[in-house]
Amino acid sequence: MASIVAVIASTHHPFYYRASTATGDDRPPFADEWTRKILAFRETLTRANPDVLVMVGSDHFHQLWLDNMPQFLVGKAPFYDANWYNEEREFGLPRMTLRGQEDLSAHILRQGLDAGFDLAFSNELRIDHSVTCPIITLRPEADLPIVPIYTNIFAPPLPQPKRFVQLGQAVREIIEGWPSHLRVAVIGTGHLSLELGGPRQFGPHGPDPEFDRRAVEWIASGDIDNCVREVTLDSLHSPGNATHGFMDFMLMMGVAGAGAKADYVDTLDLFHTMEAYFTWYPNGAPA
Amino acid sequence: MSKYLLNKFLFTVDRDPELVERYREDPRELVTWWEATTANRLLNCVAAEDSTWQRFDDAEREALVTHDHVALFALGAHPFLTLTLFIAMFERDNTEPLEYQKAFGARLTHFALPYPDIAT
């Protein structure tokens, strides 16, 4: 059976690519520290030597739209073109093409449906920065096949937080039951407290540092019980109007497992939002 | 009131560089054209399958025509869509980094939680 060699949860910050590649007067003062942290985080994936990446993210109104909005969607395609005009325009993100791993996509869809998750699917999916940001930070060679899993954290009505955890738990079991010798890493990105298009955006820190502190503690310690007890669809409005992206972290806590202490934890307090990086090794840390 | 149609406007304009420029330069022309030609387009279908019932109410149309992102927030337009399109139109006028983004937020400081409902 396949093995999950790493579970990785991270914020996705579309400004990283531009900040880390900028030089001279264009290079922001925080770029060097940010790059150092990303290189250390990248090493946690490299050490696990994965063959396939399952990528959990959320389309930001690029391909998925309000006339036909899935809650959870799995890509099943041989290739995924990536990044969109408005992401090139605002963030300077490059266009990319990633290979797909269709056998694992089919396995996740079949087994997920049979486990009670009515997953949508797409055979032609252009992915966005929720997936390409972690490719850029963690595997910039973009050389491994992927299975994208999109969640709706964006267009209410949204699934309940516990449903994200449950889907993560199911994804863990489903991948571990995949009849394959391949080594799988599951990588998901979301947000801590975040405000977009509201009065608290682009402040000197994230909009709710206290929420961020508690969130990092829940994730790092695998404290699913307290997280699910305290986080509701209503409560997530309070830390910032885009904080529902935290539910992708909750999905990844489900993949990592209840009580699973992260093997690697790092954070970076930036303007606008806090960055956070977590890695678990379900089968023990690689040598 | 149609939060959906406001979002559809923001979504379809934001993804098209030509429309972004037209909206910046002549918002009344662009909004009038869009409501006549695109409001009823079913986006993944041919024109023969257009919808028949989409239109802005006066407050929505006026908010779009006047580039009034504060009114759009109050009307429940999706703030991510509004922010992204307005950055595309006006960030280029910045004299320092994030100047437009910070001013955008500052114009919304009179909103307290709960913010206007964005559910469609």
Side-chain angles (χ1 to χ4, degrees):
Chain A
M1 292 295 164
S3 56
I4 295 183
V5 295
V7 177
I8 293 185
S10 164
T11 43
H12 65 250
H13 202 315
F15 290 164
Y16 175 75
Y17 180 76
R18 183 176 273 163
S20 63
T21 56
T23 57
D25 290 345
D26 292 334
R27 190 170 177 85
F30 48 82
D32 289 348
E33 182 186 12
W34 199 359
T35 303
R36 275 196 303 276
K37 284 179 177 278
I38 289 297
L39 292 177
F41 187 37
R42 180 181 303 164
E43 183 60 22
T44 70
L45 177 66
T46 307
R47 287 174 63 198
N49 192 26
D51 300 309
V52 184
L53 306 178
V54 173
M55 306 292 298
V56 177
S58 301
D59 180 77
H60 296 65
F61 285 140
H62 284 119
Q63 183 167 342
L64 307 184
W65 174 240
L66 299 172
D67 62 359
N68 192 359
M69 180 58 76
Q71 300 293 0
F72 298 109
L73 178 144
V74 178
K76 180 182 178 295
F79 295 96
Y80 301 94
D81 290 309
N83 291 336
W84 296 72
Y85 146 68
N86 65 1
E87 296 171 309
E88 295 180 294
R89 183 187 71 202
E90 186 172 352
F91 311 126
L93 292 177
R95 300 251 169 165
M96 309 166 76
T97 302
L98 298 161
R99 283 185 296 137
Q101 216 307 345
E102 287 197 87
D103 290 344
L104 181 54
S105 292
H107 177 76
I108 290 173
L109 281 163
R110 182 69 266 160
Q111 297 301 315
L113 288 163
D114 293 349
F117 293 90
D118 297 329
L119 301 169
F121 65 92
S122 172
N123 295 142
E124 188 176 12
L125 188 67
R126 186 177 193 93
I127 53 181
D128 79 0
H129 73 266
S130 66
V131 170
T132 59
C133 284
I135 292 292
I136 288 166
T137 54
L138 293 164
R139 191 77 180 191
E141 303 89 339
D143 58 343
L144 297 178
I146 69 165
V147 174
I149 300 178
Y150 266 160
T151 70
N152 177 20
I153 50 86
F154 212 60
L158 308 177
Q160 293 288 346
K162 69 180 179 196
R163 193 64 171 159
F164 286 73
V165 175
Q166 290 166 349
L167 179 60
Q169 291 167 333
V171 164
R172 167 80 175 259
E173 289 181 19
I174 289 168
I175 295 172
E176 290 180 333
W178 183 37
S180 166
H181 65 284
L182 294 176
R183 299 164 63 85
V184 181
V186 188
I187 299 171
T189 70
H191 292 292
L192 301 179
S193 70
L194 181 65
E195 178 104 338
L196 292 170
R200 295 174 287 174
Q201 68 175 7
F202 290 98
H205 306 282
D208 191 340
E210 174 57 20
F211 175 85
D212 295 345
R213 189 192 62 74
R214 293 162 64 218
V216 168
E217 177 63 25
W218 290 327
I219 300 166
S221 62
D223 190 357
I224 290 175
D225 285 349
N226 274 318
C227 185
V228 169
R229 190 175 301 120
E230 296 196 33
V231 171
T232 69
L233 290 174
D234 279 342
S235 78
L236 285 173
H237 290 287
S238 175
N241 70 346
T243 309
H244 291 84
F246 179 67
M247 293 192 294
D248 283 334
F249 272 115
M250 296 180 72
L251 192 158
M252 297 311 298
M253 292 171 72
V255 178
K261 191 170 182 303
D263 295 284
Y264 181 89
V265 179
D266 199 9
T267 60
L268 175 64
D269 198 14
L270 282 180
F271 75 97
H272 188 47
T273 183
M274 173 179 270
E275 287 280 276
Y277 312 121
F278 306 89
T279 301
W280 294 260
Y281 295 117
N283 304 314
Chain B
M1 187 177 95
S2 175
K3 287 182 277 189
Y4 169 72
L5 195 61
L6 284 175
N7 290 341
K8 187 177 179 180
F9 174 90
L10 299 166
F11 171 73
T12 55
V13 173
D14 178 65
R15 57 183 29 217
D16 184 326
E18 181 194 337
L19 298 185
V20 171
E21 294 309 306
R22 279 173 62 186
Y23 187 41
R24 173 182 158 102
E25 295 305 320
D26 191 347
R28 185 170 299 278
E29 178 276 328
L30 189 275
V31 171
T32 303
W33 170 87
W34 189 92
E35 192 170 4
T37 62
T38 310
N40 277 292
R41 286 301 312 279
L42 206 48
L43 296 179
N44 63 345
C45 298
V46 298
E49 318 294 0
D50 278 0
S51 299
T52 58
W53 49 275
Q54 301 279 7
R55 71 186 304 272
F56 293 124
D57 70 23
D58 290 345
E60 292 161 351
R61 193 179 299 108
E62 187 64 14
L64 291 173
V65 164
T66 55
H67 285 160
D68 187 346
H69 73 79
V70 179
L72 291 171
F73 191 84
L75 289 165
H78 199 294
F80 179 87
L81 290 168
T82 309
L83 177 66
T84 302
L85 175 57
F86 277 61
I87 284 175
M89 290 193 293
F90 300 117
E91 184 186 35
R92 69 187 78 171
D93 301 326
N94 277 2
T95 57
E96 59 182 79
L98 300 176
E99 179 184 4
Y100 181 76
Q101 288 87 335
K102 290 176 180 173
F104 185 107
R107 285 189 288 270
L108 295 165
T109 50
H110 56 291
F111 286 96
L113 292 172
Y115 295 162
D117 182 14
I118 64 166
T120 50

